[in-house]
Amino acid sequence: SDLCEETNNRLACYNLAKQYHQRGSFEEAIQLYAKAEQISVAIKLAMENGLDNEIMSLTNQGSKQVMLKAGSYFEQKGYNEKAIIMYLRGRNFKKALNLSVRYKLYDFIKRITNEIDVNADPEDLVAVAEYFIENNQFDEAVHLLVASGNYDKALDLCVRHNVPINEETIEKILPK
């Protein structure tokens, strides 16, 4: 224990974590797995033992896949707000939006809009744009449709709903 604490030696921390794990001292094991940079092992153990707060804090250090797995975990447990946060961190905007709409968590829709960017998956951009179209927020929809490369639909929205087109949008739509 002292060796791990004093030196931050990953191997020592990992071996100690395994010992705590085998003894059933899961919280200590999770902390040591994290210190050993074994985040996915720590999160798996936290999920198996329902240590939700540990999952939320550990995912900050995890990969996109770990975040999406945590999102699925929370969704299955009915913790929709935590699931949405995990899907946002994992950049699955479509899934985050679907949950936000289904459970009427409208504050998250604004957050999704703020976090989604032009580098997101075009399918996610279109899904969020569709939500805006259904809710008569055509300016937002046009921006996302252009970012996704769906120019015809973006122009059609501009014409049908009198959405002003700025110079930046025109440059993106017109062929070079």
Side-chain angles (χ1 to χ4, degrees):
S1 175
D2 291 338
L3 177 64
C4 174
E5 296 298 321
E6 290 172 16
T7 65
N8 279 331
N9 180 295
R10 291 188 358 217
L11 184 59
C13 290
Y14 180 76
N15 287 324
L16 186 59
K18 283 176 48 178
Q19 289 176 20
Y20 277 120
H21 187 165
Q22 290 167 346
R23 282 192 234 146
S25 300
F26 301 123
E27 289 182 27
E28 291 89 348
I30 290 166
Q31 295 301 322
L32 290 166
Y33 280 130
K35 212 169 200 177
E37 298 179 18
Q38 297 295 313
I39 302 303
S40 57
V41 175
I43 289 175
K44 182 176 185 266
L45 184 58
M47 286 179 182
E48 289 169 354
N49 292 282
L51 300 170
D52 298 343
N53 289 335
E54 298 288 343
I55 296 165
M56 289 298 289
S57 64
L58 287 167
T59 55
N60 289 328
Q61 304 165 52
S63 67
K64 182 178 172 180
Q65 289 78 13
V66 165
M67 292 174 192
L68 296 175
K69 188 173 182 179
S72 178
Y73 166 84
F74 285 123
E75 184 179 359
Q76 289 172 1
K77 289 185 80 172
Y79 297 151
N80 298 312
E81 291 185 10
K82 287 182 178 182
I84 293 167
I85 290 168
M86 291 295 103
Y87 289 133
L88 282 173
R89 287 182 186 169
R91 302 196 50 79
N92 187 336
F93 298 107
K94 186 176 181 181
K95 189 77 171 169
L97 181 69
N98 287 340
L99 280 180
S100 300
V101 171
R102 185 179 328 142
Y103 296 104
K104 297 176 176 37
L105 299 169
Y106 298 115
D107 289 345
F108 281 104
I109 295 169
K110 187 65 178 162
R111 185 167 165 186
I112 293 165
T113 307
N114 291 338
E115 290 192 27
I116 199 166
D117 60 23
V118 294
N119 298 320
D121 182 331
E123 195 176 296
D124 287 345
L125 292 167
V126 171
V128 176
E130 291 296 336
Y131 169 80
F132 286 125
I133 292 167
E134 290 168 16
N135 289 279
N136 299 318
Q137 295 176 326
F138 303 112
D139 287 0
E140 295 278 357
V142 167
H143 168 72
L144 294 173
L145 289 169
V146 168
S148 75
N150 201 331
Y151 304 129
D152 291 341
K153 190 165 187 173
L155 284 172
D156 183 53
L157 269 183
C158 290
V159 171
R160 285 191 298 128
H161 299 285
N162 297 318
V163 175
I165 303 174
N166 63 29
E167 200 171 316
E168 182 183 336
T169 302
I170 292 170
E171 287 176 10
K172 288 179 183 172
I173 293 174
L174 293 176
K176 306 251 186 285

